[in-house]
Amino acid sequence: MIFFLFINIMSYIFLTYVLFLPTDKKINIFNKHTRYLFFLGSSIIYLLLLTTKLSMVTILLIIMGFYLSIIDLYYYIVDPYLSVLFLIGLLTLYPSINKLLPVCVLLFFLLLSYLMPKKLGFGDIKLLVYWSIFLTPIQLIWLIFIASFIGILYIILYHLLTSNPLIKIAFVPFLTIALTIVLLII
């Protein structure tokens, strides 16, 4: 019961947050495309709740990824306030955390972004650091591999199906899909 209350509170916070975004970039919640996206994501989350015996932390990580994916698709940012809010909620539910892996992930990606500037957004790095608190090193490696593979497939399909140049890519949706796969399988 408390878990469903927590999910509803997080949904309310997300929708309230969206309403306070600048009007020139605001997500139209009543748009047909956005309603389908919310419906699909909510359906997947509730199917996970009903059909699997996932822990609360696992489901909250997936919900966190889903909400951050929507914001990344529209604005190409990983919202720091919403992600920290989720992280605080997760840390209260799961106080025993992995302390070394997040530091290693942060140092690795900072070095990578120094060697290859502007190839990976810092919001994606922060999200991977947050998620590495709750994942094993093997799960994290698989997450990065699967997300990269799905992202490459998307880019290839995009270039095959359209003639428009791809300037930016929202990577959080691929990370969220990979996180869901890793948490369910590995």
Side-chain angles (χ1 to χ4, degrees):
M1 185 68 173
I2 293 173
F3 177 65
F4 288 109
L5 178 65
F6 187 74
I7 290 174
N8 287 331
I9 290 171
M10 295 311 293
S11 299
Y12 178 73
I13 289 171
F14 172 74
L15 291 175
T16 305
Y17 172 81
V18 167
L19 292 175
F20 286 108
L21 290 172
T23 55
D24 58 333
K25 296 182 177 181
K26 190 176 288 194
I27 298 172
N28 185 358
I29 303 172
F30 305 107
N31 183 337
K32 183 179 179 182
H33 175 69
T34 309
R35 278 187 302 187
Y36 287 138
L37 191 62
F38 270 81
F39 177 74
L40 177 67
S42 300
S43 299
I44 291 170
I45 290 167
Y46 286 119
L47 281 174
L48 286 173
L49 284 170
L50 295 174
T51 59
T52 61
K53 294 187 185 235
L54 297 175
S55 68
M56 270 199 292
V57 172
T58 301
I59 293 172
L60 288 176
L61 282 171
I62 294 169
I63 292 170
M64 173 189 188
F66 174 70
Y67 287 151
L68 292 175
S69 295
I70 292 171
I71 291 174
D72 194 29
L73 282 170
Y74 282 90
Y75 302 104
Y76 296 105
I77 61 168
V78 177
D79 182 66
Y81 304 113
L82 197 59
S83 56
V84 168
L85 183 65
F86 268 108
L87 184 66
I88 290 169
L90 284 165
L91 288 175
T92 57
L93 293 171
Y94 191 71
S96 61
I97 62 169
N98 188 349
K99 294 175 182 72
L100 182 61
L101 186 61
V103 173
C104 293
V105 169
L106 180 63
L107 292 175
F108 173 76
F109 281 111
L110 286 177
L111 177 65
L112 192 65
S113 66
Y114 175 76
L115 296 175
M116 299 185 315
K118 299 187 181 188
K119 299 294 180 194
L120 184 64
F122 191 68
D124 300 323
I125 294 170
K126 286 191 304 186
L127 189 59
L128 284 171
V129 170
Y130 292 163
W131 287 350
S132 67
I133 292 171
F134 305 99
L135 300 173
T136 65
I138 298 297
Q139 286 176 319
L140 187 66
I141 291 169
W142 273 107
L143 184 143
I144 294 168
F145 175 75
I146 293 169
S148 300
F149 181 74
I150 295 170
I152 291 168
L153 281 178
Y154 172 78
I155 291 169
I156 291 170
L157 287 173
Y158 184 86
H159 283 296
L160 289 175
L161 298 175
T162 67
S163 60
N164 300 333
L166 186 63
I167 298 169
K168 279 183 159 181
I169 185 170
F171 196 62
V172 174
F174 303 120
L175 287 172
T176 302
I177 293 168
L179 176 72
T180 305
I181 292 169
V182 164
L183 291 175
L184 291 176
I185 296 174
I186 300 173

